[in-house]
Amino acid sequence: MKRRSYQQLARRMGRGVEKLLGELEAEIMTLLWAENGTVTVRDVLRKLNAQRDHLVAYTTVMTVMSRLAEKGLLERALSGKSYEYRIVQSRDEFLRHASEKIATELIADFGEIAVAGFVSALERVDSRRLDELRSSFEAEDRAR
């Protein structure tokens, strides 16, 4: 039986993107979202190792980036003897898609109990924060 996204999240440590991806995957994606261009494994390796005490191996970065491409987060194209990678969606697009998928799975599995849990969680959110979220959502809706 395939494990649901929310079940995987319950077993992961970290916050935000790290909760959705592995630690190194999240670190690589954070670099790529900031870069927002085309990069090679060597480019990413150089940037990762510049900010770490414990160096990461080229093959490790290559494997992780290849898996990110398989997951649909990166596109890759052969350029000479190596691949060039670029992000497929922005950080916000990724987080929104992942959140929608998790919410959909929870509703499919637990129905109205999941919806009641969402409503209960929203009731505990600070009203100013809810206003910010509503404004952000409305602005995004108008942009479409």
Side-chain angles (χ1 to χ4, degrees), residues 32-111:
L32 296 179
W33 282 319
E35 187 75 23
N36 197 20
T38 303
V39 296
T40 64
V41 171
R42 196 157 307 286
D43 296 332
V44 173
L45 178 70
R46 192 176 323 108
K47 289 179 183 185
L48 278 176
N49 284 339
Q51 58 193 30
R52 294 171 147 257
D53 292 331
H54 178 68
L55 300 181
V56 181
Y58 177 90
T59 53
T60 301
V61 175
M62 180 180 66
T63 300
V64 171
M65 290 178 70
S66 180
R67 288 189 182 147
L68 287 167
E70 289 169 10
K71 291 179 179 182
L73 281 107
L74 299 176
E75 283 184 345
R76 68 180 177 185
L78 197 55
S79 176
K81 293 183 180 182
S82 62
Y83 283 105
E84 290 184 335
Y85 292 83
R86 70 174 193 81
I87 60 170
V88 171
Q89 52 190 211
S90 72
R91 181 180 185 278
D92 287 348
E93 290 168 332
F94 166 70
L95 292 174
R96 182 178 185 139
H97 180 264
S99 298
E100 287 174 1
K101 181 179 180 197
I102 292 164
T104 299
E105 289 176 358
L106 284 167
I107 292 168
D109 286 352
F110 304 112

